[in-house]
């Protein structure tokens, strides 16, 4: 059992490791670290530690294991499932990585960057751009989310179609174990078959096995050609048919294919400053298409024009526009990335981060829509996402004029309904946001008992004292 309450002496021992300036205990100083970004989870903590080195992280975890003090690793605190905030009513100590923000090395020849776990994603982008390289992970929270958190949640984003998620973008890790031991796995090798791949145990573990303090990340040559288009369509089936044609025509040059409903466009143009409808006509569905080529700018232009012409001729595309400048490309992507926050002013929103096989997206969405509307007449379904990798953010805004809290009180009920349909199509109840607290119990219900048993065995092997992010991902 972990500590139910921290004594003043123990708090002082932890503070001695970081120095008093980086050991926060005042309620006002601690408050920002206790609330999950969507406000679903509000935790309690007597102490927030902000170590400035790997050695300090090591000392903190060694003391935590010795005293059985619960530790909650926290990056930018941009998660959506309560994985990075302490438990309510517990004495969890928050371990913020924000001071571990050094870029250790950039190697454009080897196409790698080595960075601390607390580096903000946007800073990684800048460092890569400075050597004419690309780090392709793209998230709406990139100005505040941190690499350690991105790895701990196996973040996906909009470029998974072409580049994969964080598991594919990482070559090596440095991890502080619960005992305080430091595993230096900062290898820069694409080929390394020497034993178990420990790296993959920590990626996606949400801080339950150790603290990621450093990483070797893959870089890519910056594309010479880049085109972004926005197209209106009649149906999700037409969007899928266009995606199949885009995949066949563009191959690996297809770097994004995002699906959006008319309702999402209405929300963003209504609530997000500067966003406007790119098309003069209204359509039921839209796709944002991103094409990047390495040989010449003209190649991307020819690909996009040919794809849209083919789509129009086949009756799939009703109207489309191609961005004519870098600013217009950013504007189109800004609309897509603003779709989730644009729902907030519309009242309560019940959210789902799910994935199904790409070919099953139209059938899944049709069945889920019918079930949700039967359960909540007047619900406004705003489902959008990464069609190219099967990840749909199936979000439901409250009916107009409905009581917000009464609607949100049905969160678990509607989750169960939608997730049941997801599983029918052999999908996942968490595509990119993780498990955290939100889906911990549901994970145990949908996974085979042997899978859950193996996860618990791994957890116990790495963290026998049970100090690392307790109550997240797996219980017991």
């Amino acid at each position: 059992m972990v500590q139910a309450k921290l004594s003043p002496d123990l708090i002082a021992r932890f503070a001695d490791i970081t120095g008093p300036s980086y050991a926060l205990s005042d309620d006002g100083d601690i408050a920002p670290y206790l609330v999950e970004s969507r406000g679903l989870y509000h935790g309690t903590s007597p102490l927030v530690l902000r170590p400035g080195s790997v050695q300090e992280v090591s000392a903190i975890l060694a003391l935590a294991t010795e005293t059985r003090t619960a530790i909650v690793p926290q990056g930018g605190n941009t998660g959506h499932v309560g994985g990075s905030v302490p438990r309510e009513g517990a004495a969890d100590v928050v371990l913020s990585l924000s001071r571990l923000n050094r870029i250790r090395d950039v190697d454009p020849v080897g196409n790698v960057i080595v960075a601390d776990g607390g580096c903000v994603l946007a800073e990684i982008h800048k460092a890569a751009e400075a050597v004419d390289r690309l780090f392709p992970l793209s998230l709406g929270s990139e100005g505040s989310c941190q690499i350690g958190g991105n790895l701990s949640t196996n973040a996906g984003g909009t470029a998974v179609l072409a580049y994969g998620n964080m598991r594919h973008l990482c070559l090596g890790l440095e991890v502080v174990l619960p005992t305080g031991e430091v595993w230096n796995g900062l290898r820069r090798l694409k080929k390394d078959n020497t034993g178990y791949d420990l790296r993959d145990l920590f990626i996606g573990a949400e801080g339950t096995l150790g603290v990621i303090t450093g990483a070797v990340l893959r870089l890519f040559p910056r594309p010479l050609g880049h085109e972004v288009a926005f197209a209106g369509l009649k149906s999700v089936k037409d969007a899928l048919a266009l995606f199949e044609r885009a995949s066949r025509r563009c191959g690996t040059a297809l770097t994004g294919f995002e699906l959006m409903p008319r309702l999402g466009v209405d929300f963003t143009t209504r609530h997000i400053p500067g966003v406007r409808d790119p098309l003069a006509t209204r359509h039921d569905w839209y796709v944002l298409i991103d094409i990047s080529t390495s040989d010449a700018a003209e190649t991307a232009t020819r690909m996009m024009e040919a794809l849209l012409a083919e789509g129009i001729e086949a009756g799939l595309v009703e109207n489309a526009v191609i961005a004519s400048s870098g600013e217009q490309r950013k504007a189109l992507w800004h609309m897509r990335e603003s779709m989730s926050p644009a729902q907030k002013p519309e009242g309560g929103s019940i959210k789902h981060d799910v994935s199904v096989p790409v070919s099953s997206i139209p059938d899944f969405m049709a069945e889920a829509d019918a079930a949700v509307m039967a359960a909540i007449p007047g619900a406004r379904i705003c489902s959008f996402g990464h069609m190219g990798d099967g990840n749909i953010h199936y979000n439901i805004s409250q009916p107009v004029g409905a009581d917000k809290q009464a609607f949100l009180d049905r969160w678990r009920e509607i989750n169960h309904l939608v997730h049941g349909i997801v599983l029918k199509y052999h999908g996942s109840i968490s595509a990119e946001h993780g498990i955290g607290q939100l889906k911990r119990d549901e994970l145990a219900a949908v996974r085979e008992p042997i899978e859950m048993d193996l996860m618990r065995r791994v957890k116990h092997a790495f963290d026998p004292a049970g100090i690392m992010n307790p109550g997240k991902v797996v219980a017991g």
Side-chain angles (χ1 to χ4, degrees):
M1 294 287 292
V2 295
Q3 294 263 10
K5 185 177 181 180
L6 270 61
S7 69
D9 286 346
L10 182 53
I11 289 176
R13 290 179 67 187
F14 278 114
D16 283 343
I17 296 172
T18 61
S21 297
Y22 301 109
L24 312 180
S25 56
D26 290 342
D27 290 346
D29 294 334
I30 288 177
Y33 298 87
L34 306 182
V35 183
E36 179 256 358
S37 62
R38 291 199 301 214
L40 291 179
Y41 292 94
H42 298 256
T44 55
S45 174
L47 184 65
V48 173
L49 296 172
R50 301 182 60 233
S53 68
V54 175
Q55 291 73 27
E56 288 183 4
V57 175
S58 172
I60 290 168
L61 294 194
L63 179 58
T65 291
E66 175 195 332
T67 59
R68 291 189 175 272
T69 302
I71 297 291
V72 178
Q74 187 177 103
N77 197 20
T78 59
H80 295 317
V81 294
S84 63
V85 294
R87 297 166 297 170
E88 185 177 4
D92 301 346
V93 172
V94 175
L95 179 65
S96 170
L97 274 291
S98 59
R99 292 180 62 217
L100 273 70
N101 57 7
R102 182 170 57 96
I103 293 176
R104 304 184 191 182
D105 187 32
V106 182
D107 178 4
V109 176
N111 279 316
V112 298
I113 183 170
V114 186
D116 285 354
C119 278
V120 172
L121 176 56
E123 296 303 314
I124 300 293
H125 289 162
K126 291 178 184 177
E129 186 174 358
V131 294
D132 197 31
R133 293 294 183 269
L134 170 74
F135 182 66
L137 179 67
S138 180
L139 303 170
S141 59
E142 61 191 35
S144 53
C145 66
Q146 297 174 13
I147 289 299
N150 299 150
L151 286 160
S152 293
T153 56
N154 191 27
T158 57
V160 170
L161 172 62
Y163 298 102
N165 52 25
M166 279 299 281
R167 194 180 301 280
H168 300 94
L169 297 175
C170 177
L171 294 175
L173 292 178
E174 175 186 78
V175 180
V176 180
L177 303 178
T179 57
E181 298 167 284
V182 180
W183 172 54
N184 185 343
L186 294 174
R187 303 183 183 99
R188 307 184 182 201
L189 305 174
K190 292 182 179 179
K191 291 185 176 182
D192 182 4
N193 284 338
T194 52
Y196 299 129
D197 192 343
L198 299 176
R199 173 199 59 173
D200 275 352
L201 283 173
F202 296 102
I203 297 175
E206 300 184 42
T208 61
L209 303 180
V211 178
I212 295 174
T213 52
V216 180
L217 306 173
R218 297 178 62 195
L219 300 179
F220 298 83
R222 294 191 71 79
L224 295 177
H226 187 201
E227 295 288 353
V228 176
F230 188 83
L233 309 95
K234 290 188 179 73
S235 68
V236 179
K237 285 186 177 179
D238 285 351
L240 181 63
L242 184 63
F243 171 70
E244 191 279 328
R245 290 170 184 260
S247 298
R248 174 170 39 83
R249 178 177 288 277
C250 304
T252 57
L254 183 63
T255 43
F257 198 95
E258 300 288 303
L259 177 70
M260 293 164 279
R262 178 66 221 180
L263 184 62
V265 173
D266 287 341
F267 284 174
T268 54
T269 54
R270 186 181 305 161
H271 299 299
I272 306 299
V275 172
R276 64 177 184 82
D277 191 336
L279 301 177
T281 51
R282 294 173 63 88
H283 306 271
D284 291 337
W285 290 92
Y286 300 87
V287 292
L288 185 153
I289 307 166
D290 193 293
I291 293 175
S292 303
T293 55
S294 58
D295 56 351
E298 294 78 10
T299 304
T301 302
R302 287 196 301 268
M303 278 187 178
M304 186 68 82
E305 291 175 347
L307 172 63
L308 292 176
E310 182 181 341
I312 292 171
E313 185 176 351
L316 302 175
V317 175
E318 296 181 321
N319 195 4
V321 62
I322 300 175
S324 60
S325 67
E327 287 303 310
Q328 287 190 8
R329 289 195 292 269
K330 289 179 181 177
L332 291 177
W333 271 111
H334 179 56
M335 167 179 275
R336 160 61 188 87
E337 291 166 349
S338 301
M339 208 145 284
S340 186
Q343 290 176 256
K344 193 169 185 177
E346 294 290 330
S349 177
I350 297 174
K351 300 179 184 295
H352 306 82
D353 164 48
V354 301
S355 60
V356 296
V358 173
S359 58
S360 298
I361 289 175
D363 291 340
F364 156 69
M365 290 178 66
E367 188 168 341
D369 287 357
V372 168
M373 294 305 292
I376 308 180
R380 295 174 293 166
I381 300 170
C382 185
S383 48
F384 60 92
H386 322 299
M387 190 170 207
D389 59 39
N391 179 192
I392 299 297
H393 299 293
Y394 191 88
N395 296 348
I396 306 159
S397 287
Q398 68 179 62
V400 175
D403 180 83
K404 179 178 179 179
Q405 191 55 53
F407 175 77
L408 292 177
D409 286 344
R410 302 185 67 180
W411 187 295
R412 294 287 183 183
E413 172 199 346
I414 301 302
N415 276 182
H416 182 73
L417 178 68
V418 173
H419 289 162
I421 299 169
V422 169
L423 296 174
K424 174 184 174 181
Y425 287 96
H426 308 288
S428 169
I429 65 169
S430 181
E432 63 180 1
H433 292 167
I435 298 298
Q437 301 178 63
L438 180 66
K439 300 181 181 180
R440 185 196 66 188
D441 295 338
E442 193 169 2
L443 175 69
V446 303
R447 287 289 198 176
E448 293 293 330
I450 184 62
E451 290 182 87
M452 295 307 302
D453 184 55
L454 288 171
M455 290 185 205
R456 292 188 187 100
R457 288 191 220 176
V458 170
K459 168 69 171 172
H460 183 73
F462 279 88
D463 182 25
I467 68 162
M468 295 304 306
N469 217 4
K472 320 293 173 57
V473 186
V474 292

